[in-house]
Amino acid sequence: GAVVSQHPSRVICKSGTSVKIECRSLDFQATTMFWYRQFPKQSLMLMATSNEGSKATYEQGVEKDKFLINHASLTLSTLTVTSAHPEDSSFYICSATLQGYEQYFGPGTRLTVT
Amino acid sequence: ELKVEQNPLFLSMQEGKNYTIYCNYSTTSDRLYWYRQDPGKSLESLFVLLSNGAVKQEGRLMASLDTKARLSTLHITAAVHDLSATYFCAVDGGGTGNQFYFGTGTSLTVIP
């Protein structure tokens, strides 16, 4: 149980375009989902906390107009990177939690902006 | 600002040896998590530590938590090559959303 999927696993886009990443909890309803970003050889940085039906809470320094988060249902959250630039190239990982203390992590999405 | 620091950042050890990775954090938290990450992959949960004095063991890995010292350790016993990976600790920031804040990571290489 407690499986989280992400789609796509890899995406390459051109600078200036937008890309959407989906995060789904497959066998449970997630009260909260989180989005992280990980640059090569670095740690995971929390970007935002997402609750179904409400606006996401962004960490300090994360541009909410650039990283749009929509949490439309208890099993789906999406992250849209708008007007992507090469510096946005990174590994994006989502996680989901079910009223508890543990987070279940997705497999990650590798974004490359050319 | 919440800080989670690990040391060492890089660890190269021979098979069969023992070593400890340390995780220090700056907030009051009773929840500490350890994860393993292989290159190009996401996180694999290793341990969930939920109270002061918690100790958990799985195979050659053992994790402990001292909330008063704000310190967790991950001890490796008789290392084998398959343990080569990057290890992260993460702290529950204590907010209403149970946000996790990750340590700097320890890149472990076990040499045959």
Side-chain angles (χ1 to χ4, degrees):
Chain A
V3 178
V4 176
S5 71
Q6 281 183 243
H7 178 79
S9 57
R10 291 179 176 271
V11 58
I12 301 173
C13 70
K14 292 190 175 179
S15 186
T17 62
S18 296
V19 61
K20 182 186 287 187
I21 302 169
E22 292 185 349
C23 176
R24 294 181 184 273
S25 56
L26 297 185
D27 50 1
F28 66 102
Q29 293 185 323
T31 52
T32 306
M33 289 183 169
F34 303 88
W35 287 96
Y36 297 86
R37 178 169 55 182
Q38 184 179 32
F39 292 111
K41 306 291 186 186
Q42 293 189 24
S43 185
L44 280 76
M45 298 297 296
L46 178 65
M47 298 176 68
T49 303
S50 170
N51 291 290
E52 183 261 342
S54 60
K55 288 185 179 179
T57 303
Y58 291 82
E59 293 295 300
Q60 193 172 9
V62 177
E63 301 173 60
K64 57 183 177 183
D65 293 331
K66 182 170 184 62
F67 298 99
L68 301 179
I69 293 173
N70 184 287
H71 196 153
S73 75
L74 285 172
T75 60
L76 173 64
S77 177
T78 59
L79 169 68
T80 301
V81 183
T82 63
S83 187
H85 291 285
E87 57 264 31
D88 298 322
S89 299
S90 188
F91 193 43
Y92 291 86
I93 303 174
C94 73
S95 71
T97 186
L98 171 60
Q99 290 185 334
Y101 48 79
E102 194 155 5
Q103 290 186 22
Y104 303 97
F105 287 84
T109 296
R110 188 160 306 280
L111 169 64
T112 303
V113 184
T114 60
Chain B
E1 179 187 346
L2 192 157
K3 289 186 178 179
V4 186
E5 296 180 340
Q6 288 179 235
N7 71 81
L9 297 182
F10 299 94
L11 175 56
S12 180
M13 56 190 297
Q14 286 188 316
E15 279 191 332
K17 298 293 186 183
N18 305 332
Y19 208 85
T20 300
I21 298 171
Y22 298 88
C23 173
N24 291 91
Y25 54 96
S26 64
T27 187
T28 54
S29 177
D30 290 338
R31 299 173 182 169
L32 193 291
Y33 307 79
W34 283 97
Y35 295 91
R36 168 182 171 141
Q37 187 179 39
D38 291 297
K41 304 291 186 181
S42 187
L43 302 181
E44 174 188 349
S45 178
L46 295 175
F47 299 108
V48 178
L49 304 170
L50 299 177
S51 61
N52 184 42
V55 177
K56 290 197 174 179
Q57 182 166 3
E58 181 73 34
R60 301 175 187 273
L61 301 178
M62 182 173 72
S64 66
L65 178 60
D66 181 343
T67 58
K68 292 184 176 146
R70 301 183 187 178
L71 170 68
S72 180
T73 61
L74 180 66
H75 186 73
I76 303 159
T77 302
V80 292
H81 180 66
D82 286 351
L83 290 179
S84 296
T86 299
Y87 293 84
F88 291 98
C89 63
V91 173
D92 184 328
T96 55
N98 297 114
Q99 287 86 352
F100 281 13
Y101 297 93
F102 281 80
T104 44
T106 297
S107 176
L108 170 65
T109 302
V110 180
I111 304 168

